[in-house]
Amino acid sequence: MSNDTYFIEGLRSGDETILKEIYNQFFSKVRTFVIQNKGNSTDAEDIFHNALIQLFVRLKNRELVIKSSFEAYLFTTCKNLWRRELNKKRVTKTKVAELKNEETENAYALLEQEKWELYIEKFQLLSENCRKVLTLLFNGTPYDEIVKTFSYASKVVARQRVFKCKAKLTKLIKEDTKFSQIKKL
């Protein structure tokens, strides 16, 4: 049994020993990420626990397919939850905060995770060149650097390539039946 299967089955069954292993092996990376992004250890613990609950619920409701590793999947889930939490904090500074129950919060988190999974699935279908170009762009790399990296003739050529890659990714996502299901929610 692979480590990924071991962790998934342990989480599905609620095995306390395996849950402790998951915590010991993966929590420090999540804590580091949260602290580096305007959080503290308590925030990290909350995010980590919410991610585990979210994964547990998904495992109980349907088969979970992880295309990378359990660690990467768990970390991505935690990152998405933390980004969502940061966005909520920004909004609440200017607007009155509404109280939401935990079921609604978990439903939104699951929806966001499904969107992320669809994005990753379709991103992997792009050509290697498109994946590299978009990764640089999404990481904030200036167009000058993209021109140098790919030996493009100019920024205009780089912008055209980015546009075509984004258009291809958007098309792949919108053509998937999961997109229409997510969109209805």
Side-chain angles (χ1 to χ4, degrees):
M1 178 177 357
S2 73
N3 265 356
D4 292 342
T5 306
Y6 172 76
F7 290 131
I8 289 169
E9 291 308 315
L11 189 56
R12 179 179 284 138
S13 67
D15 184 315
E16 227 174 280
T17 306
I18 296 174
L19 289 173
K20 285 179 184 174
E21 283 183 55
I22 291 170
Y23 185 88
N24 290 335
Q25 196 165 340
F26 306 120
F27 176 69
S28 63
K29 185 176 178 181
V30 172
R31 181 179 51 227
T32 301
F33 173 79
V34 170
I35 289 172
Q36 288 175 347
N37 289 281
K38 303 177 185 174
N40 57 41
S41 288
T42 304
D43 294 328
E45 287 175 17
D46 291 343
I47 292 299
F48 194 77
H49 291 147
N50 286 342
L52 289 177
I53 290 167
Q54 180 181 327
L55 293 176
F56 175 77
V57 168
R58 294 185 102 188
L59 287 167
K60 289 294 183 185
N61 291 333
R62 62 184 167 103
E63 189 61 34
L64 181 65
V65 178
I66 297 178
K67 298 195 179 185
S68 54
S69 67
F70 177 80
E71 177 181 9
Y73 190 88
L74 177 62
F75 186 69
T76 300
T77 302
C78 290
K79 279 183 10 182
N80 289 339
L81 288 171
W82 181 241
R83 286 184 177 131
R84 192 162 166 267
E85 192 64 32
L86 287 175
N87 286 338
K88 271 196 315 190
K89 286 180 182 180
R90 261 187 251 138
V91 169
T92 56
K93 288 180 183 176
T94 57
K95 295 182 179 179
V96 175
E98 291 182 34
L99 295 176
K100 294 182 180 177
N101 66 30
E102 197 164 315
E103 287 177 14
T104 304
E105 289 295 315
N106 285 337
Y108 283 129
L110 284 171
L111 182 61
E112 284 188 22
Q113 187 65 28
E114 286 181 14
K115 287 178 183 177
W116 178 250
E117 288 171 7
L118 178 61
Y119 165 80
I120 291 298
E121 178 184 325
K122 299 308 173 188
F123 185 82
Q124 295 302 322
L125 297 176
L126 294 173
S127 68
E128 185 177 345
N129 180 272
C130 268
R131 288 194 312 264
K132 287 180 181 177
V133 167
L134 291 178
T135 299
L136 288 174
L137 180 77
F138 296 153
N139 286 329
T141 305
Y143 276 98
D144 292 333
E145 193 67 33
I146 293 173
V147 168
K148 287 178 192 172
T149 303
F150 293 96
S151 303
Y152 291 141
S154 67
K155 281 188 194 179
V156 172
V157 174
R159 288 181 202 278
Q160 288 173 339
R161 183 68 181 145
V162 165
F163 177 80
K164 287 179 182 176
C165 291
K166 280 183 176 179
K168 177 70 175 166
L169 179 59
T170 302
K171 182 179 181 216
L172 287 169
I173 290 171
K174 286 184 176 181
E175 288 175 346
D176 194 295
T177 55
K178 287 183 242 167
F179 176 75
S180 57
Q181 292 169 347
I182 291 171
K183 194 175 169 186
K184 288 177 187 175
L185 301 174

